[in-house]
């Protein structure tokens, strides 16, 4: 592996461990490692590379923008950031206001600061979030993250957060009163293993927030921009949030995050309340515009829904002692195993030329580029029985 992994291990902090493969290049849904081995990329850099690799629309937009003007800071306006904000508001409808960031966790920091400001103005002192939810690694977003193993070592945070079991509308109702500033919720738990809530849960979150006046903050950082077959996952239940955060798939591989607040919440911040040097970067904004245009022009919402169904049907047709069921929607799926075999199956899939992610001990996340074809999806499900066999003999 040209020693890259060993050099990584020496040069980097040990928080990630050493990744198993060094990737060198990509094209469409395929990537090649540093030794020239080819893989079908079914994880897309954690649901980020929405148009796959080397997509000409992104290459053209980024190349042209970086050669024209790479950075302005928030001291100056640039056209791509304005076009992007307007485009996102157009997709969402209604009267929203946008704040641009460089990552998901920063988008949630913005949402959290909005919630805290809203709470202070209205005598609302706590926030509700979900057990096992994930909202990011910076201190504010981490305080909302329900995975105790990654949150607790770094607390306390100075944010009063109450955690409720995800998907339980009654528990939510019991936890939220008129002293609650905001409810932060993913439409499906991503990092916990692509775990959808029962039908109607997001609509129930909307109802509870309407009844109590708490802000409904939808963390759509992983779920939006076509991942589930609609622009935004909340559209499946028409449960419009007050604040939405986006990141991952929006930039198609370039770093970007967004916080959008609707109605009166869009103007909660006063001048000086928040900021970012890189947020609104024109290169990232140009990439995001190319992603949105391509999804629209190439019918990738419909593709994500249809190829996602193909993938799910293929998984459901497999009868294997290691495989339980599949869950998820669109091109955001998990293959749920009958035991904690996900790391072994991930490794066996890699040996067979497929990149998938052991997101939980018993769950494999499949979140490919939205351009994945039905044929590519079938090539994976056709190989999956042998992959499970290989993992079974290892583990
Ligand atoms: C990935 C993710 C984040 C954090 O995004 P980063 O860009 O890694 O900071 C937050 N919320 C959800 C739902 C995510 O999937």
């Amino acid at each position: 592996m040209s020693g890259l992994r060993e050099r990584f291990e020496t040069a980097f902090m040990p928080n990630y461990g050493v990744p198993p493969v060094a990737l060198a290049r990509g094209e469409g849904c395929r990537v090649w490692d540093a030794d020239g081995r080819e893989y079908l990329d079914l994880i897309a850099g954690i649901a980020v590379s929405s148009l796959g690799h080397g997509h000409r629309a992104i290459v053209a937009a980024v190349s042209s923008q970086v050669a024209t003007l790479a950075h302005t800071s928030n001291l100056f306006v640039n056209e791509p950031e304005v076009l992007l904000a307007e485009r996102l508001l157009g997709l969402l409808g209604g009267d929203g206001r946008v704040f641009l960031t460089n990552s998901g966790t920063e988008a949630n920091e913005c949402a959290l600061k909005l919630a805290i400001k809203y709470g202070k103005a209205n005598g609302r002192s706590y926030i509700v979030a979900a057990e096992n939810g994930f909202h990011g690694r910076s201190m504010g977003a981490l305080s909302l993250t329900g995975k105790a193993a990654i949150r607790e070592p770094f607390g306390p945070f100075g944010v009063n957060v109450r955690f409720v079991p995800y998907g339980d509308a009654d528990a939510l109702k019991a936890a939220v009163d008129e002293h609650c500033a905001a409810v932060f919720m993913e439409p499906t738990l991503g990092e916990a293993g692509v775990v959808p809530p029962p039908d109607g849960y997001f609509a129930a979150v909307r109802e509870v927030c309407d009844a109590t006046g708490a802000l409904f903050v939808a963390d759509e950082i992983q779920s939006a921009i076509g991942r589930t077959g609609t622009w935004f996952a909340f559209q499946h239940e028409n449960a419009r949030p007050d604040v939405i955060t986006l990141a991952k798939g929006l930039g198609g591989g370039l770093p970007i995050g967004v916080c959008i607040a609707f109605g009166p919440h869009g103007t909660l911040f006063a001048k000086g309340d928040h900021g970012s040097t890189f947020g609104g970067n024109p290169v990232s904004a140009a990439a995001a515009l190319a992603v949105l245009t391509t999804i629209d022009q190439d019918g990738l919402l419909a593709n994500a829904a249809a190829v996602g169904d193909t993938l799910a049907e293929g998984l459901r047709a497999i009868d294997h002692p290691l495989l339980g069921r599949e869950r998820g929607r669109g091109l955001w799926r998990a293959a749920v195993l009958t035991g904690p075999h996900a790391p072994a199956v991930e490794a066996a899939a890699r040996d067979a030329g497929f990149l998938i992610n052991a997101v939980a001990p018993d769950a494999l996340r499949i979140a490919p580029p939205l351009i994945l074809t039905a044929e590519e999806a079938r090539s994976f499900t056709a190989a999956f029985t042998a992959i499970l066999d290989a993992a079974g003999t290892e583990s």
Side-chain angles (χ1 to χ4, degrees), residues 274-297:
H274 198 44
S276 167
T277 301
F278 290 113
N281 174 272
V283 179
S284 289
L289 283 164
V291 167
L292 298 177
T293 299
T294 304
I295 288 175
D296 200 21
Q297 285 179 355

Side-chain angles (χ1 to χ4, degrees), residues 34-126:
D35 295 330
R37 272 210 68 192
E38 181 181 323
Y39 304 88
L40 183 64
D41 182 5
L42 297 174
I43 189 60
I46 317 185
V48 165
S49 305
S50 41
L51 304 187
H53 304 277
H55 194 285
R56 64 190 187 290
I58 295 183
V59 173
V62 165
S63 307
S64 155
Q65 189 57 47
V66 79
T68 307
L69 186 65
H71 175 73
T72 59
S73 86
N74 56 58
L75 298 177
F76 306 98
V77 176
N78 68 73
E79 189 179 28
E81 68 175 349
V82 177
L83 289 173
L84 177 60
E86 290 172 346
R87 183 82 71 87
L88 288 169
L89 293 175
L91 290 176
L92 283 157
D95 56 337
R97 297 291 190 106
V98 174
F99 181 81
L100 292 175
T101 73
N102 317 288
S103 65
T105 204
E106 288 170 89
N108 282 336
E109 292 293 326
C110 176
L112 179 57
K113 282 177 71 173
L114 282 176
I116 288 171
K117 186 158 187 190
Y118 175 73
K120 285 193 172 174
N122 297 287
R124 296 170 176 271
S125 56
Y126 71 95

Side-chain angles (χ1 to χ4, degrees), residues 85 89 92-98 240 242 259-263 265-267:
L89 293 175
L92 283 157
D95 56 337
R97 297 291 190 106
V98 174
R240 242 192 119 65
D242 300 305
C259 178
I260 302 172
F262 300 99
H265 313 304
T267 51

Side-chain angles (χ1 to χ4, degrees), residues 46 48 102-108 133-138 141 145 186-191 219-223 245 247-248 256 332 365:
I46 317 185
V48 165
N102 317 288
S103 65
T105 204
E106 288 170 89
N108 282 336
F134 182 82
H135 299 291
R137 300 285 199 155
S138 55
T145 288
E186 296 168 80
T188 277
L189 297 177
E191 294 309 302
D219 181 343
E220 290 235 26
I221 284 167
Q222 192 161 161
S223 54
T245 54
K248 290 197 167 83
I256 191 164
W332 200 29
R365 173 167 48 184

Side-chain angles (χ1 to χ4, degrees), residues 42 48 52 74 85 106 113 140-141 144-145 157 167 172 181 194-195 213 228 231 245-247 306 321 346 373 380:
L42 297 174
V48 165
N74 56 58
E106 288 170 89
K113 282 177 71 173
L144 304 166
T145 288
F157 301 95
L172 183 75
V194 193
V195 185
T228 67
W231 283 111
T245 54
L246 311 170
E346 180 198 282
T373 64
F380 170 68

